[in-house]
Amino acid sequence: MEHRALSRLAAPAVAALLALTTACTGGTVHGRPGASGLRDPYFPKAGNGGYQVEHYELDLDYDPGDGLLHGTAVITSRAEQGLSSFNLDLSGLKVEGVTVQGAGARYNRTGNELTVRPAEDLEKGEVFVTEVDYSGRPKALTDADGAKEGWITTEDGAVGVGEPVGSMTWFPGNHHPSDKATYDITITVPKGYEAVSNGELRARTTQADGRTAFAWHSPEPMASYLATAVVGKYRVATGRTPSGVALYDAVAPGEAAASAGDLARVPEMVEWGAGRFGPYPFSTAGAIVLPAGTLAYALETQTRPVFSGAPGSEDLVLHELAHQWFGNSVSPKSWKDMWLNEGFATYAEWLWAEDHGGVSAQKRFEAFLAGDTEVDEGADSDWDAFPPAAPPGPEHISGNPVYFRGAMVLHRIRQEVGDEKFFALVRGWAAEHRHGNASTADFTAYAERQTGHDLKKVWDVWLYGKDSPR
Ligand code: ARG
Ligand code: ZN
């Protein structure tokens, strides 16, 4: 509630400043509307222009009994231009009120855009606090590729997942990966339920009415598609990795036995990743195992990936962990850059196998070229159907070429530059953009600069080439 208090204090100060400006210039600040989208090549309306969010404080009150969510989002942002209005992305739900700097703001909704018109225009550079009160039964979205995301209910609870644009079904925000922010997510649930989110659990408070509030804090910047909120009956286990990263696992009771083996390897995987990719980017780690069948996929939600039922494979656990470096710390600038997430996470699986007595990355690369499914099940998939850096449409951003051919791009670089330069490149890349955003062009330029090799042929054939590289 810190921010709400701050917003009340800040309002008179802003009014005073505006009065001063008026006195000096003979007019008030003249803002213009912020853009309703960031023109992402695949999701042009995702995100909004004119401001960047610094911090989200989400208070979510959820009752699995009736599926009703009551939310308060206190969003601290910095204006990047003078703003007469700005947008937030929100899908479904009922908006009950909006304030900006503590003063009531007008708002209207069209599609997934919530347009907010503050009582006073905002100045370029101004840090301002928006509060949105909302409620309703959040819904799931169906992705372009048919998978479900957003708010998904389970038998005794729900999960909020975002990739790529599902987060707008459970909180208003600037929902594009290019705008990362820190988060405080507090989830209040009936007695007997657990609530799990990203980062560290700061407090677990039993309220006078018997309900429990779980206050989760993410001190490192997070793209909104990586936020999660999980409510239900879960078994919680805590611990630490050998180097001191705090672990928090929440496992659906029915999946506990089947998950135990794979989850037990997380500490070792965190340490291995730190050795290969550089320091683990976050202060916490762990996993959330949902009831089986909740989702059609696992997701690398920040610090604490979600699995739909027991992971069932060490590779999948490793994949989601590798995303913490590639995707979560180094996030894509747009959804076109997805291969920087998935190609790296897939290649990390190959490296893990190589380092643990499994098949070498070279052998796996060859198996893909030969379509040899004995070595890798994906080898006879449509991995060569399109260039990983240019998926043909939004339904393809999680397609096989993004994963497998993306990994093969990395292996091609390794073949060109040798192991020493390759691993220095991977570590350098994670360090260069730690907690930031990067594009494919950033990567290709960095790779050539860092290794001193001309890699144009690799980019032309493997990354951008429309033809199969086979
Ligand atoms: N990013 C997730 C992973 O780790 C997969 C998400 C799949 N989503 C989808 N709509 N197909 O690989
Ligand atoms: Zn992935």
Side-chain angles (χ1 to χ4, degrees):
M1 296 305 109
E2 217 173 314
H3 292 283
R4 225 171 296 174
L6 185 89
S7 70
R8 290 212 180 94
L9 280 179
V14 170
L17 195 76
L18 283 169
L20 243 172
T21 316
T22 312
C24 296
T25 62
T28 52
V29 179
H30 286 293
R32 55 198 167 85
S36 62
L38 290 171
R39 298 164 177 260
D40 184 276
Y42 297 86
F43 302 93
K45 286 289 185 191
N48 305 283
Y51 68 94
Q52 290 255 321
V53 178
E54 296 184 342
H55 186 73
Y56 289 89
E57 184 189 314
L58 307 178
D59 278 297
L60 309 175
D61 200 310
Y62 187 69
D63 185 349
D66 58 15
L68 275 176
L69 174 73
H70 289 271
T72 301
V74 179
I75 304 170
T76 305
S77 312
R78 180 181 294 273
E80 291 182 315
Q81 63 174 61
L83 284 170
S84 55
S85 69
F86 60 91
N87 281 16
L88 293 164
D89 302 317
L90 181 68
S91 172
L93 302 168
K94 181 180 186 316
V95 173
E96 273 147 13
V98 180
T99 66
V100 176
Q101 299 294 61
R106 286 196 283 166
Y107 60 90
N108 59 61
R109 303 185 69 183
T110 346
N112 298 328
E113 301 292 332
L114 166 65
T115 302
V116 177
R117 194 172 185 338
E120 304 282 356
D121 285 9
L122 300 160
E123 272 182 88
K124 182 176 180 180
E126 185 175 347
V127 174
F128 64 99
V129 177
T130 306
E131 178 173 323
V132 180
D133 294 301
Y134 61 100
S135 68
R137 285 188 183 82
K139 59 181 189 216
L141 298 179
T142 303
D143 266 350
D145 72 356
K148 281 201 187 322
E149 52 173 279
W151 192 262
I152 322 265
T153 54
T154 60
E155 208 164 287
D156 62 5
V159 55
V161 282
E163 191 181 38
V165 293
S167 297
M168 65 181 172
T169 67
W170 54 282
F171 67 98
N174 197 21
H175 291 304
H176 189 265
S178 60
D179 188 1
K180 296 167 76 164
T182 54
Y183 284 71
D184 279 289
I185 302 179
T186 299
I187 310 168
T188 304
V189 293
K191 190 177 172 166
Y193 287 86
E194 299 290 326
V196 192
S197 185
N198 317 87
E200 58 182 86
L201 181 60
R202 279 236 168 126
R204 179 193 168 120
T205 323
T206 306
Q207 301 182 333
D209 61 8
R211 294 186 312 152
T212 317
F214 294 79
W216 291 92
H217 175 66
S218 291
E220 301 95 359
M222 175 162 76
S224 75
Y225 78 93
L226 296 166
T228 192
V230 174
V231 174
K233 305 274 164 96
Y234 286 89
R235 261 186 223 171
V236 170
T238 59
R240 258 178 212 286
T241 68
S243 69
V245 178
L247 295 166
Y248 191 106
D249 291 339
V251 180
E255 301 299 322
S259 304
D262 288 332
L263 296 190
R265 302 206 66 181
V266 168
E268 180 193 346
M269 288 176 175
V270 171
E271 304 306 318
W272 174 84
R276 275 286 180 220
F277 311 136
Y280 178 72
F282 305 107
S283 53
T284 56
I288 300 167
V289 179
L290 305 167
T294 305
L295 303 172
Y297 50 83
L299 190 65
E300 65 267 27
T301 40
Q302 194 145 300
T303 69
R304 198 156 290 115
V306 293
F307 298 92
S308 186
S313 103
E314 168 182 316
D315 282 353
L316 185 61
V317 177
L318 192 279
H319 179 104
E320 306 310 336
L321 180 69
H323 274 307
Q324 306 305 316
W325 285 265
F326 306 110
N328 300 10
S329 169
V330 183
S331 303
K333 271 188 187 161
S334 88
W335 289 111
K336 198 170 188 170
D337 304 313
M338 186 76 151
W339 81 277
L340 290 172
N341 291 11
E342 303 303 347
F344 272 82
T346 303
Y347 199 67
E349 295 176 55
W350 298 12
L351 292 174
W352 169 263
E354 181 168 290
D355 284 355
H356 292 84
V359 57
S360 69
Q362 174 63 26
K363 188 152 185 238
R364 205 182 293 260
F365 179 82
E366 288 164 9
F368 271 85
L369 286 176
D372 181 358
T373 52
E374 300 274 298
V375 176
D376 193 303
E377 280 176 13
D380 72 344
S381 70
D382 61 346
W383 65 264
D384 59 348
F386 60 80
E395 68 277 31
H396 297 291
I397 63 166
S398 294
N400 285 324
V402 174
Y403 287 68
F404 298 129
R405 189 163 156 186
M408 293 171 88
V409 170
L410 297 175
H411 193 72
R412 281 292 297 111
I413 299 170
R414 187 176 172 189
Q415 289 175 335
E416 293 296 319
V417 307
D419 278 10
E420 198 174 318
K421 282 184 180 171
F422 177 75
F423 288 111
L425 166 65
V426 171
R427 272 194 298 276
W429 177 246
E432 177 89 356
H433 296 285
R434 189 175 164 90
H435 296 314
N437 292 84
S439 66
T440 301
D442 292 330
F443 178 75
T444 55
Y446 182 80
E448 296 198 334
R449 196 164 73 238
Q450 173 87 8
T451 64
H453 284 249
D454 177 357
L455 297 165
K456 186 174 183 304
K457 279 211 180 105
V458 177
W459 315 142
D460 287 353
V461 174
W462 285 88
L463 197 49
Y464 296 113
K466 287 212 165 54
D467 297 334
S468 170
R470 267 196 227 245

